[in-house]
């Protein structure tokens, strides 16, 4: 929990990872390119006092993760969102066993989500069923630009992806997190295009589609899709650090999101270990829309409480102390919000 100026915030970090990018786990040059690109994001968007060395960035391990997120980072609960990347790393990038074991040992603090690749066909479906029987996860993280043999990506609207969504439905895996937006070397930008979310969300209205990174740089595409699909949510991973380097850009991002999809479908994410949650939470609670950006309403403490934890807690049935809960919003399911802001620019 984070407290400031009389307000208490229940914190859910909805996107964390426990990765191993050390040289001995790199399968080829692409493994080094991938983690180097991650480090460039970390180095270029972090305050100087939050910078890690390249060596400590390669691998953190469970003990450091628990300290960074829970002891130092104010977080009440965090959710693993693994990326496999088996073409680049010998044992995969996200460490499945280590992360699952850590979550199993700390169920009050950690939720383990899994991953699948629909290009693995029937064998992958069998693996998904077996993994779910063992782990009982509620969500998966998909990386549509991941390489698999000669393939350099897939779409959520592909027939095989639909087979996997149908299996998720049967197993009770309701939360589909998708990396959509920022490209990472050597992956292809267009394979992260957000457009295919529209197709899948319309056909699987009983599943939640959480678009990580809110589709950046295709924020407008994301907003137009999410505003008409009430089962599409936005994850703020990678968007949050722009509070430091480009605060007006972040104001535009959060302002557009609240205008188009409302405060109840946005989730806080540090994207650990790209960044640590402590400074992101502190800055977000302090953050405000600049006064001259009159097209956006000022952020309220209620909106921040929902984004920082209550929205993800609701999606994952994470217990929230009674004194930190809020009533559900009385909002329309689709269409832009904040109609009172619509004519501000024209009236000035």
């Amino acid at each position: 929990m984070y407290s400031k100026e009389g307000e208490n915030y229940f914190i859910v970090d909805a996107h964390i990872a426990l990765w191993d990018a050390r040289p001995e786990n790199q399968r080829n040059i692409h493994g080094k390119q991938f983690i180097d690109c991650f480090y460039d994001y970390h180095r270029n968007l972090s305050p100087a006092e939050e910078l890690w060395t390249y060596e400590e960035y390669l691998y953190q391990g469970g003990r450091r993760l628990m300290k960074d997120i829970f002891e130092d980072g104010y977080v009440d609960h965090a959710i693993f969102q693994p990326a496999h990347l088996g073409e680049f790393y010998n044992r995969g990038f996200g460490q499945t066993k280590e992360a699952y074991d850590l979550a199993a040992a700390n169920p009050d603090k950690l939720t383990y989500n899994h991953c699948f690749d629909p290009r693995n066909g029937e064998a992958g479906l069998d693996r998904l069923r077996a993994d779910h029987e063992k782990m009982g996860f509620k969500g998966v993280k998909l990386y549509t630009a991941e390489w698999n043999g000669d393939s350099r990506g897939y779409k959520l609207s592909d027939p095989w992806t639909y087979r996997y969504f149908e299996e998720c439905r049967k197993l009770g895996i309701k939360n589909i997190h998708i990396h959509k937006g920022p490209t990472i070397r050597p992956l292809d930008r267009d394979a992260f295009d957000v457009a295919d979310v529209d197709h899948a969300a319309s056909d699987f209205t009983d599943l939640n589609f959480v678009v990580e990174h809110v589709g950046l740089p295709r924020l407008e595409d994301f907003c137009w899709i999410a505003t008409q699909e009430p089962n599409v949510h936005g994850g703020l991973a990678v968007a949050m650090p722009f509070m430091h380097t480009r605060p007006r850009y972040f104001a535009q991002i959060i302002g557009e999101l609240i205008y188009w999809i409302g405060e109840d479908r946005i989730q806080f994410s540090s994207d650990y270990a790209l960044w640590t949650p402590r400074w992101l939470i502190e800055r977000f609670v302090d953050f405000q829309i600049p006064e001259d950006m009159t097209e956006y309403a000022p952020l309220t403490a209620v909106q921040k409480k929902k984004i920082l934890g209550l929205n993800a807690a609701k999606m994952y049935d994470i217990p929230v102390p009674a004194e930190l809960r809020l009533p559900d919003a009385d909002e329309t399911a689709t269409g832009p919000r904040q109609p009172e802001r619509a004519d501000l620019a024209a009236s000035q």
Side-chain angles (χ1 to χ4, degrees):
M1 187 181 75
Y2 179 64
S3 300
K4 186 163 186 183
E5 297 177 347
E7 300 285 356
N8 296 320
Y9 301 81
F10 184 81
I11 309 292
V12 177
D13 193 338
H15 191 296
I16 68 166
L18 204 171
W19 69 55
D20 185 355
R22 290 174 291 190
E24 57 269 31
N25 192 31
Q26 294 174 11
R27 182 175 176 182
N28 47 42
I29 185 62
H30 300 312
K32 180 169 177 20
Q33 290 171 340
F34 188 87
I35 192 61
D36 285 358
C37 185
F38 261 31
Y39 190 67
D40 284 341
Y41 275 109
H42 169 76
R43 180 171 52 192
N44 293 327
L45 297 182
S46 300
E49 63 274 18
E50 303 294 339
L51 284 178
W52 291 4
T53 67
Y54 180 77
E55 288 69 28
E56 58 183 335
Y57 200 72
L58 296 175
Y59 174 76
Q60 295 74 47
R63 181 173 297 179
R64 174 155 189 178
L65 180 149
M66 296 298 286
K67 183 177 188 302
D68 288 339
I69 293 178
F70 299 107
E71 294 180 29
D72 298 338
Y74 310 121
V75 175
D76 295 286
H77 200 99
I79 304 171
F80 281 114
Q81 308 287 0
H84 179 56
L85 301 175
E87 296 288 335
F88 303 162
Y89 294 95
N90 295 315
R91 300 185 301 280
F93 181 65
Q95 298 304 292
T96 298
K97 185 177 186 308
E98 194 172 1
Y100 172 71
D101 288 348
L102 198 62
N106 300 275
D108 57 328
K109 293 183 177 297
L110 288 164
T111 291
Y112 176 76
N113 277 356
H114 204 40
C115 56
F116 66 70
D117 186 334
R119 293 166 295 183
N120 293 331
E122 291 289 354
L125 278 173
D126 290 342
R127 180 64 182 270
L128 177 65
R129 295 185 193 102
D131 288 346
H132 184 264
E133 183 176 1
K134 174 185 176 184
M135 303 175 186
F137 41 86
K138 296 181 177 178
V140 291
K141 168 76 182 293
L142 306 183
Y143 231 68
T144 55
E146 182 163 359
W147 293 4
N148 188 334
D150 294 333
S151 170
R152 292 176 63 145
Y154 64 92
K155 292 183 180 300
L156 301 184
S157 52
D158 289 345
W160 267 106
T161 312
Y162 269 37
R163 289 278 305 277
Y164 278 69
F165 287 155
E166 289 163 0
E167 193 63 31
C168 286
R169 178 184 276 162
K170 293 177 185 174
L171 295 171
I173 304 167
K174 290 194 62 174
N175 304 320
I176 313 296
H177 296 251
I178 321 113
H179 178 120
K180 287 294 189 183
T183 191
I184 307 156
R185 192 184 183 197
L187 304 176
D188 299 334
R189 189 192 78 137
D190 286 348
F192 281 135
D193 194 300
V194 72
D196 54 350
V197 174
D198 193 16
H199 199 128
S202 292
D203 288 342
F204 291 89
T205 56
D206 51 342
L207 301 181
N208 297 313
F209 292 86
V210 184
V211 175
E212 301 296 348
H213 323 301
V214 292
L216 294 175
R218 301 176 179 92
L219 178 66
E220 190 172 16
D221 288 356
F222 168 75
C223 287
W224 278 89
I225 292 169
T227 196
Q228 63 163 329
E229 304 286 356
N231 57 332
V232 172
H233 303 247
L236 286 174
V238 174
M240 301 290 293
F242 284 108
M243 288 186 294
H244 170 60
T245 58
R246 292 288 187 275
R248 293 181 67 85
Y249 178 50
F250 180 75
Q252 179 189 6
I253 293 170
I254 196 70
E256 292 291 329
L257 289 171
I258 290 178
Y259 176 78
W260 286 105
I261 70 172
E263 66 211 43
D264 294 299
R265 288 195 276 141
I266 306 170
Q267 297 179 3
F268 163 69
S269 306
S270 71
D271 217 346
Y272 183 89
L274 271 156
W275 296 278
T276 48
R278 182 184 181 94
W279 70 272
L280 294 171
I281 294 165
E282 291 174 344
R283 292 206 181 198
F284 185 66
V285 168
D286 291 344
F287 187 83
Q288 192 48 267
I289 301 285
E291 291 184 358
D292 64 324
M293 297 178 76
T294 56
E295 64 271 40
Y296 306 120
L299 297 176
T300 67
V302 167
Q303 290 172 329
K304 293 175 181 178
K305 288 178 180 181
K306 292 181 176 181
I307 293 168
L308 282 172
L310 298 182
N311 292 340
K314 181 179 181 181
M315 180 176 287
Y316 279 87
D317 298 320
I318 296 167
V320 178
E323 66 274 18
L324 299 179
R325 298 174 193 163
L326 291 171
D328 286 341
D330 182 19
E331 287 194 333
T332 57
T334 59
R337 275 69 174 169
Q338 297 183 331
E340 72 279 8
R341 312 299 296 181
D343 295 323
L344 278 183
S347 65
Q348 294 180 351

